[in-house]
Amino acid sequence: MIEISDVSPSSLAHLIGMPGITDQVTVAIDAAQADGRKVDDMVMTGPPGCGKTQTAKVIAAEMATGFHEVLGQAVDSSAALNALLLSAQDRDVVFVDEAHELKKEFQTALYLAIDQRKICISTGRAGSAVQSIPIANFTLLLATTDEYAILQPLRDRMKLTLRFGFYSNDDLATLTRQRCRGLGWVVDEDVFPEIARRSKGTPRLALRLLQASRRVCRAEGDTHITRAHLDRACVLEGIDTLGLGATEQQYLSILKEGATRLNVVASRLGLPSRTVSQVTEPLLVRLGLVTKDEQGRRQLTAAGFEHLHQHQQQGV
């Protein structure tokens, strides 16, 4: 069975929703190919699920080079970092996802390694003997949701910064439509804008909801995905018409009672205040459902009241 990930984009021409980034990368690749060298090192920053990993894979595909991927938190020793750096050949792409999770000492070792194009390994007791081993001239790509958690000397060595953002509903509809064509799935046209509207501007969530709709479709013995299948998938996952989940819906219900301080909201949600302010609130503010008064208390906007009323009426 073909999965959604099996037909992911393999060229810059197939990337949807980030023209500024594709222009930057196109220029970088064209210049590298003209000069017969590796692509410049880059840091990719932006919200999770918005295409950083996919872009890294496309860069390697466009350059027809090897691709070496690791999560920052998976690098738990100098040996693990050295093994990663030694595995790459000239012009390969070494991709560190969640790079801000790299321990500071490994970030330091990384920028020293790319500066000197070598690593140093202790070969004697108590570091009494050190062996210098050259590493290939590879391209280093760092992906992060918090670029300032990466040491400045490492950030400064990246020649390009690619800033990813949330997608428009039109771009998300185009992306899911493109993926369905690649998969050969038959989908009613009105499904795509509805998936986009419920995906919080995030491609990963749009594809997840598409997969959920397909799952309902097949469970019911159908092969043609309809709006009814999407609606059923959303009910099963507790997602409303804007893609808000149970926690976000509860947040809005709390504010229906009036302006409320963050610590009170967090307490009633049973979550740390920092989680509420950094994870739950940003989307609600971006959608124009929540605002803050002069005392910093959270309160619903007119759009927030309207959405909450519709949600409660429809039971969606």
Side-chain angles (χ1 to χ4, degrees):
M1 178 180 174
I2 299 178
E3 299 290 341
I4 282 183
S5 58
D6 293 335
V7 293
S8 55
S10 58
S11 74
L12 291 170
H14 295 152
L15 292 179
I16 303 296
M18 43 180 139
I21 288 173
T22 53
D23 286 347
Q24 278 184 282
V25 174
T26 297
V27 170
I29 289 176
D30 288 347
Q33 291 176 332
D35 292 338
R37 59 174 176 82
K38 67 158 192 165
V39 177
D40 289 329
D41 298 331
M42 308 178 195
V43 59
M44 306 175 176
T45 180
C50 287
K52 297 185 290 295
T53 299
Q54 189 60 64
T55 301
K57 291 178 179 179
V58 166
I59 290 172
E62 290 278 5
M63 291 297 292
T65 62
F67 183 74
H68 309 266
E69 180 179 5
V70 69
L71 285 172
Q73 54 265 48
V75 180
D76 56 2
S77 66
S78 296
L81 178 61
N82 291 339
L84 172 68
L85 301 183
L86 290 172
S87 67
Q89 300 180 15
D90 285 347
R91 302 189 191 179
D92 278 2
V93 169
V94 172
F95 176 60
V96 182
D97 200 3
E98 302 295 341
H100 57 278
E101 296 286 353
L102 272 175
K103 293 180 179 178
K104 302 303 181 185
E105 60 263 35
F106 299 148
Q107 291 190 37
T108 300
L110 184 56
Y111 74 70
L112 291 176
I114 61 175
D115 261 359
Q116 302 168 7
R117 286 295 153 190
K118 66 180 181 181
I119 59 174
C120 295
I121 299 177
S122 174
T123 59
R125 293 182 179 179
S128 58
V130 175
Q131 179 182 4
S132 176
I133 302 176
I135 59 175
N137 192 23
F138 54 77
T139 295
L140 178 63
L141 302 182
L142 305 177
T144 179
T145 55
D146 184 3
E147 64 179 300
Y148 297 108
I150 298 176
L151 293 176
Q152 184 170 346
L154 180 55
R155 280 189 284 119
D156 289 346
R157 283 162 173 78
M158 300 298 103
K159 302 295 178 62
L160 288 173
T161 298
L162 306 183
R163 300 191 181 281
F164 290 72
F166 294 106
Y167 283 45
S168 69
N169 286 350
D170 286 345
D171 285 336
L172 287 175
T174 300
L175 184 149
T176 50
R177 187 182 296 110
Q178 177 197 68
R179 196 62 61 93
C180 285
R181 287 173 181 168
L183 290 163
W185 290 357
V186 180
V187 184
D188 283 348
E189 188 60 32
D190 64 345
V191 170
F192 299 119
E194 277 303 312
I195 286 179
R197 192 158 71 100
R198 303 177 193 220
S199 298
K200 305 178 181 179
T202 306
R204 182 184 297 161
L205 296 182
L207 295 175
R208 175 183 169 183
L209 193 49
L210 174 62
Q211 183 72 68
S213 302
R214 164 74 173 180
R215 187 162 53 245
V216 171
C217 172
R218 296 301 296 131
E220 296 180 358
D222 298 326
T223 58
H224 185 144
I225 301 173
T226 67
R227 173 68 183 275
H229 295 131
L230 169 62
D231 289 342
R232 175 62 175 156
C234 289
V235 169
L236 290 173
E237 299 204 10
I239 295 173
D240 68 18
T241 54
L242 288 181
L244 305 185
T247 299
E248 293 148 333
Q249 294 161 14
Q250 186 182 354
Y251 181 109
L252 296 181
S253 295
I254 292 170
L255 296 193
K256 184 181 179 181
E257 302 170 9
T260 310
R261 294 194 178 280
L262 172 61
N263 62 334
V264 176
V265 176
S267 177
R268 293 183 62 179
L269 288 174
L271 295 172
S273 295
R274 183 175 180 181
T275 299
V276 175
S277 65
Q278 295 186 2
V279 179
T280 307
E281 286 185 345
L283 171 69
L284 300 176
V285 172
R286 180 161 57 88
L287 291 176
L289 304 179
V290 172
T291 188
K292 301 177 186 177
D293 65 16
E294 294 179 354
Q295 287 76 43
R297 296 177 301 178
R298 277 61 176 170
Q299 58 186 14
L300 288 181
T301 64
F305 276 109
E306 181 180 356
H307 176 73
L308 188 59
H309 177 69
Q310 290 176 349
H311 171 68
Q312 291 174 339
Q313 271 194 328
Q314 297 169 4
V316 178

